[in-house]
Amino acid sequence: MANPSPGYSITLRVQAPASVSSTAELAAAVGRVGAAVTALDVVESRPDALIVDVTCNTTNADHGAQVQEALGALADVAVLHTSDRTFLMHLGGKLEIVPKVPLRNRDDLSRAYTPGVARVCLAIAERPEDARNLTVKRNTIAVVTDGSAVLGLGNIGPAAALPVMEGKAALFKQFADVDAWPVCLDTQDTDEIVKIVKAIAPVYGGVNLEDIAAPRCFEIEARLREELDIPVFHDDQHGTAIVTLAALQNALRVVGKRLADARIVVSGVGAAGSAIIQLLKAEGAEHIVAAGRSGIIHAGEQYDDEHRRWLAANTNAHGVTGSLADALVGADVFIGVSAPNVIGEAEVRSMAADAIVFAMANPDPEIDPVLATRHAAVVATGRSDFPNQINNVLAFPGFFRGLLDAHAVDITPAMLVAAADAIARRVSDDELHASYIIPSVFDPLVAGDVAAAVAAAAHADAEAAEQRDLARSAA
């Protein structure tokens, strides 16, 4: 199923004969081994030879080696050097700190630093809440990980997780002008993580937990939410749930079904699957069956962890048992946040008419989307090279923009639903069809719409809380 991807883009500098057909022969050789040429640049032209940079997308590192061999096999062609464009992008990291104020002379320095800065310090010491307005706290979040569940790579540790956290911080800035900084912790002890994040919290206006393995991630998030006065958001849970709900709302519109009536099967009962189920239930979904590695979660089974016990008590009202394949018979919706190739054509064929398949495992989905489209009415993945990419970038930048703008101290289900509704509404009735149920991550209006919706929900929650406090006081 693998297609050439920009994630495996390489540039090969080759020496070729000084012939009018040389570049065409280079492109043809790349095409014969299934790679996609994206650029051909003649960097030097000599009487006897051309130096050409051949840039192409491949499917993996081995495929890149095949391209190199194919070019080297051409007559009078030599591959001089091969560069991996992804590694080149990451050289030196993807972030830097840039001052927001001028530091041109002694006058600027005296106000930005000593002695003038002391006045600001004393003001904050007297009124700690002023830190939100007088420091980076106003617009800065921590992207916190312990490296235990990084993308689809597993427990690779904090240093190896850093490129992902850098990327996350860059996305926050690019899409919502939120300043974010990676905080990769060299511990996977729950108590210690909570202690460290609490200790660094004064710097930040919010915390984005990232790539922390379940079930520890649930406890870490719950404890930090309870003990901090800034919002704590686990993107693997809630970001995924938001974009999934948004996509499902529109997919159901395409096939003319209602969320309350739809039979939904969720494959994967970790952080993402649990959060999706909770948000779908909050929005009115009544028929959800969850399946993990050992099969369908049901009330007749005893589970060791509180997380699965909750799923057993709050899903699968009809007590369905068996395998994932058993759960899919007659189902309207499949939501996969699990592992590659856990279902096939037969399972999709067994679903109800006008079925919806969200195969979101990355980089390889639960089923080849090309196969799924033979039997399902709407198919979505987490990949950028297929239609309907369900991507957290649609949610988390705008979500934190709204939280920071509203000076929110917590996150509520109403905010999650508001964000999902804002994303779904970016696809108009005229645009909506089976291959366009979710906007592009590059839609410039998405983050602003999400931010406005989240901020409005935060203000409404704050007003409701104030009214409750007044009512209790009056009583």
Side-chain angles (χ1 to χ4, degrees):
M1 191 215 75
N3 293 311
S5 165
Y8 290 97
S9 178
I10 58 175
T11 297
L12 303 100
R13 177 157 291 187
V14 301
Q15 179 175 300
S19 163
V20 293
S21 63
S22 282
T23 54
E25 290 170 0
L26 295 173
V30 172
R32 282 195 294 271
V33 293
V37 174
T38 58
L40 275 171
D41 300 297
V42 178
V43 295
E44 189 177 348
S45 180
R46 305 172 185 165
D48 59 335
L50 298 176
I51 305 300
V52 184
D53 281 349
V54 181
T55 302
C56 59
N57 293 341
T58 65
T59 57
N60 53 42
D62 291 339
H63 193 199
Q66 292 177 30
V67 173
Q68 184 170 336
E69 291 174 7
L71 291 177
L74 295 175
D76 299 321
V77 169
V79 178
L80 305 178
H81 182 69
T82 301
S83 299
D84 187 311
R85 297 179 70 215
T86 297
F87 277 82
L88 289 175
M89 176 181 279
H90 287 256
L91 279 178
K94 302 185 290 294
L95 302 174
E96 65 178 355
I97 294 176
V98 178
K100 294 169 63 176
V101 298
L103 296 172
R104 300 161 300 190
N105 48 46
R106 293 175 65 183
D107 182 72
D108 290 342
L109 193 61
S110 294
R111 285 181 287 117
Y113 199 51
T114 186
V117 71
R119 297 178 54 220
V120 181
C121 294
L122 291 173
I124 294 172
E126 187 174 331
R127 282 175 47 88
E129 61 270 25
D130 284 350
R132 277 191 180 269
N133 293 323
L134 295 173
T135 72
V136 295
K137 186 181 184 78
R138 180 174 186 168
N139 195 55
T140 304
I141 66 164
V143 182
V144 178
T145 189
D146 64 358
S148 60
V150 180
L151 296 178
L153 306 174
N155 187 357
I156 60 175
L162 181 54
V164 178
M165 303 310 122
E166 284 186 8
K168 198 85 171 190
L171 295 173
F172 272 112
K173 188 65 176 178
Q174 179 68 30
F175 290 104
D177 197 27
V178 171
D179 296 317
W181 194 253
V183 179
C184 299
L185 303 179
D186 192 13
T187 177
Q188 295 182 359
D189 178 84
T190 296
D191 292 336
E192 193 168 2
I193 291 171
V194 171
K195 181 179 179 180
I196 293 171
V197 175
K198 287 175 62 179
I200 66 173
V203 178
Y204 301 101
V207 174
N208 183 85
L209 299 175
E210 191 76 22
D211 293 347
I212 299 174
R216 287 184 303 106
C217 60
F218 304 120
E219 181 181 352
I220 291 168
E221 182 192 32
R223 288 174 57 181
L224 288 173
R225 284 191 172 188
E226 180 68 26
E227 298 177 36
L228 291 178
D229 63 352
I230 56 176
V232 178
F233 182 84
H234 187 201
D235 186 50
D236 300 321
Q237 292 185 66
H238 309 301
T240 305
I242 288 168
V243 293
T244 300
L245 174 59
L248 184 57
Q249 287 174 337
N250 284 343
L252 289 169
R253 287 167 58 198
V254 169
V255 299
K257 297 180 181 180
R258 296 173 61 247
L259 182 62
D261 300 328
R263 290 182 55 195
I264 301 169
V265 175
V266 178
S267 173
V269 292
S274 297
I276 289 169
I277 290 168
Q278 291 177 33
L279 191 57
L280 292 179
K281 286 181 65 67
E283 268 296 88
E286 298 179 5
H287 310 289
I288 301 175
V289 172
R293 291 187 182 91
S294 58
I296 296 171
I297 304 292
H298 60 94
E301 185 72 38
Q302 296 297 316
Y303 297 100
D304 294 334
D305 62 280
E306 179 182 352
H307 158 64
R308 280 176 171 75
R309 288 196 294 271
W310 184 91
L311 290 173
N314 290 275
T315 63
N316 196 3
H318 298 291
V320 179
T321 61
S323 67
L324 175 60
D326 296 323
L328 282 171
V329 176
D332 298 292
V333 178
F334 168 79
I335 297 174
V337 280
S338 51
N341 303 312
V342 295
I343 62 171
E345 274 193 80
E347 285 76 19
V348 179
R349 191 186 303 116
S350 75
M351 295 174 68
D354 294 325
I356 296 166
V357 171
F358 289 178
M360 298 189 292
N362 250 325
D364 298 318
E366 284 79 3
I367 181 173
D368 183 335
V370 175
L371 299 180
T373 54
R374 296 176 182 175
H375 310 285
V378 179
V379 177
T381 72
R383 294 174 57 124
S384 60
D385 51 354
F386 288 99
N388 298 329
Q389 183 189 19
I390 299 177
N391 192 315
N392 289 21
V393 179
L394 288 164
F396 65 79
F399 197 90
F400 265 97
R401 176 78 275 151
L403 293 174
L404 293 169
D405 290 347
H407 290 187
V409 298
D410 200 2
I411 294 170
T412 65
M415 298 178 193
L416 304 179
V417 171
D421 289 345
I423 295 169
R425 286 195 299 269
R426 286 302 309 153
V427 180
S428 68
D429 290 340
D430 291 339
E431 296 172 310
L432 182 67
H433 57 80
S435 295
Y436 189 63
I437 59 170
I438 193 94
S440 165
V441 296
F442 295 104
D443 184 328
L445 300 179
V446 171
D449 288 356
V450 171
V454 170
H459 289 309
D461 287 337
E463 290 175 7
E466 184 177 349
Q467 292 300 317
R468 288 194 298 270
D469 290 343
L470 290 173
R472 280 196 293 267
S473 299

